[in-house]
Amino acid sequence: MSAAAASATNVAVIGGGISGAVCASLLAASGVAVTLFDSGRGAGGRMAQRREVMEDGTELRFDHGAPYFTVSDDEVARVVSGWEARGIVAEWKAMFGSFDREAGKFTDFEKEETTKKYVGVPGMNSICKSLCLEDGVVAKFGVTIGRMDWIQGRSSWSLASFDGRDLGHFDYVVATDKNIASPRFSGLTGRPPPLDLSLLPELSMMIQDIPVRPCFALMLAFSEPLTKVPVQGFSFNNSDYLSWAFCDSSKPGCARVPLNSQSWVLHSTAEYASKVINNIGPRKPSADALAKVADELLKEFQATGLNIPQPIFMKAHRWGSAFPATTVSGDDKCVWNKGMKLAVCGDFCASPSVEGAVLSGMRGASKILGCLNFPSGL
């Protein structure tokens, strides 16, 4: 297929997380015109980086979602190798372990030969940001999709924003938001979900209500290193509150906190997060509710006996439905409807990990490129 013919095809990608960014990048590299929409202020999704400013004006940055990722698939490994060559990914060579809350001690330390851990440089969002800036990708942030209409006569999709703006017609749509057809969207917004699954009855059982694991992240900055903690990251055993903790400022290529200080990100257990959300409701939590969560998670961190001082900065963030509890599409790694030119991609289609999301985005691009007569998809 000629580049001119490919560029006559336009694709909407909904979601600027890693799955959507990878899919958009691969399509654009083959000459397809791509418009990417994301409701956030920038690319990243769960690989976003949070910028915070302390009272004295000091700027802090936190990878408050996925702390790192690993790779086992050969296809994904080739892609990640390219990112390494571009300087947007590096290996995080750090010591990790497990902490038993009941015993009050570390019970396991990872050996050096365990799987490589990769991070975005200078932040986890660097990968998505870079992919969304590639030629052929037009990224529009701060845009929430409110409606997706299939126009049978034109064999295309019409998209509108949540506030009713016409966003245009598209030959194909790639949806990477698991709530695009979920009742969860209605619970958060009071509106019907953008995608009417009565158009796609065979997909409804797969994608209408994917179970999720909620989580609270706690971002912490300390005026000096935590000298009693012998690792840069660790999981918790026997804690009702915390699942893991990572020293965010120990990652390569980052200048996240002032000299000699240290930043950490903690993630709660899904059980703790579910209990809190059941009490306060599904909508955005108040500042007071988040402050209470922050206090409770910090108290649990300090109860480890690891000599955790009071932080100079502390803030909690809720990930309400970000982490899928299951996968839905089997070996295909994406949900694909050729007749209606719709791909649904994300870690919930492959495996609940960054690698799963990358692989699903690659599969979505491959399905569309296959329809455009690229011999082997990608």
Side-chain angles (χ1 to χ4, degrees):
M1 183 177 184
S2 70
S7 64
T9 301
N10 66 334
V11 176
V13 175
I14 302 171
I18 190 65
S19 199
V22 165
C23 187
S25 167
L26 292 171
L27 290 170
S30 294
V32 176
V34 179
T35 306
L36 181 145
F37 300 100
D38 192 279
S39 58
R41 288 174 290 182
R46 271 166 296 138
M47 292 176 73
Q49 187 179 68
R50 186 75 168 257
R51 175 183 173 272
E52 296 288 349
V53 179
M54 294 173 57
E55 289 181 4
D56 64 0
T58 302
E59 185 176 285
L60 306 171
R61 292 181 184 271
F62 298 90
D63 288 337
H64 62 311
Y68 63 85
F69 65 96
T70 60
V71 176
S72 58
D73 181 88
D74 289 343
E75 282 183 86
V76 177
R78 285 193 291 273
V79 171
V80 172
S81 179
W83 294 343
E84 270 194 288
R86 289 165 58 178
I88 57 174
V89 160
E91 184 185 352
W92 188 14
K93 297 178 180 178
M95 174 74 81
F96 292 79
S98 296
F99 184 85
D100 191 297
R101 177 71 175 80
E102 287 182 357
K105 63 181 182 179
F106 286 92
T107 55
D108 185 42
F109 294 95
E110 284 191 8
K111 297 181 174 61
E112 289 182 8
E113 63 267 20
T114 53
T115 308
K116 285 184 178 180
K117 296 173 176 63
Y118 294 98
V119 296
V121 178
M124 286 297 281
N125 64 340
S126 301
I127 306 166
C128 296
K129 281 173 68 175
S130 179
L131 296 177
C132 289
L133 288 171
E134 290 183 354
D135 289 346
V137 179
V138 176
K140 298 187 176 183
F141 297 105
V143 178
T144 300
I145 301 299
R147 191 170 173 86
M148 297 170 57
D149 291 311
W150 173 248
I151 312 301
Q152 186 68 46
R154 295 181 59 165
S155 189
S156 66
W157 288 93
S158 172
L159 301 188
S161 66
F162 191 73
D163 57 7
R165 285 178 294 132
D166 178 17
L167 300 174
H169 288 80
F170 298 90
D171 300 306
Y172 293 85
V173 169
V174 179
T176 68
D177 181 351
K178 73 179 73 63
N179 291 333
I180 200 80
S182 170
R184 201 173 291 115
F185 183 92
S186 303
L188 293 170
T189 66
R191 303 259 197 99
L195 178 61
D196 180 1
L197 279 176
S198 66
L199 297 170
L200 301 151
E202 74 281 10
L203 299 187
S204 63
M205 291 304 292
M206 295 178 74
I207 65 172
Q208 71 171 343
D209 200 11
I210 296 163
V212 296
R213 294 176 62 83
C215 172
F216 282 95
L218 179 60
M219 297 167 279
L220 298 168
F222 297 97
S223 59
E224 55 190 37
L226 304 184
T227 54
K228 297 284 187 179
V229 182
V231 291
Q232 283 74 51
F234 60 96
S235 60
F236 284 84
N237 294 323
N238 299 314
S239 172
D240 294 331
Y241 292 83
L242 292 172
S243 60
W244 57 252
F246 287 98
C247 180
D248 204 44
S249 52
S250 70
K251 292 179 178 179
C254 75
R256 298 156 194 257
V257 290
L259 194 64
N260 298 323
S261 59
Q262 203 173 64
S263 63
W264 284 74
V265 174
L266 281 51
H267 270 203
S268 76
T269 62
E271 293 74 21
Y272 169 80
S274 295
K275 193 165 106 179
V276 172
I277 291 169
N278 286 341
N279 286 335
I280 67 174
R283 302 208 176 190
K284 186 176 180 180
S286 67
D288 286 346
L290 287 174
K292 184 183 178 189
V293 166
D295 286 338
E296 290 179 345
L297 296 183
L298 175 64
K299 185 178 178 182
E300 178 74 355
F301 196 33
Q302 292 178 323
T304 56
L306 294 170
N307 200 22
I308 309 297
Q310 280 299 113
I312 55 174
F313 176 87
M314 176 172 75
K315 194 168 192 178
H317 172 84
R318 186 196 67 176
W319 294 105
S321 61
F323 299 93
T326 188
T327 56
V328 299
S329 66
D331 292 341
D332 281 348
K333 311 296 185 190
C334 75
V335 178
W336 170 243
N337 186 296
K338 185 175 181 179
M340 295 185 70
K341 299 156 83 172
L342 172 69
V344 179
C345 302
D347 58 356
F348 56 93
C349 292
S351 64
S353 63
V354 172
E355 180 180 43
V358 171
L359 193 56
S360 184
M362 293 169 69
R363 289 287 191 272
S366 184
K367 295 289 189 187
I368 293 173
L369 294 175
C371 289
L372 299 177
N373 297 322
F374 282 82
S376 57
L378 296 179

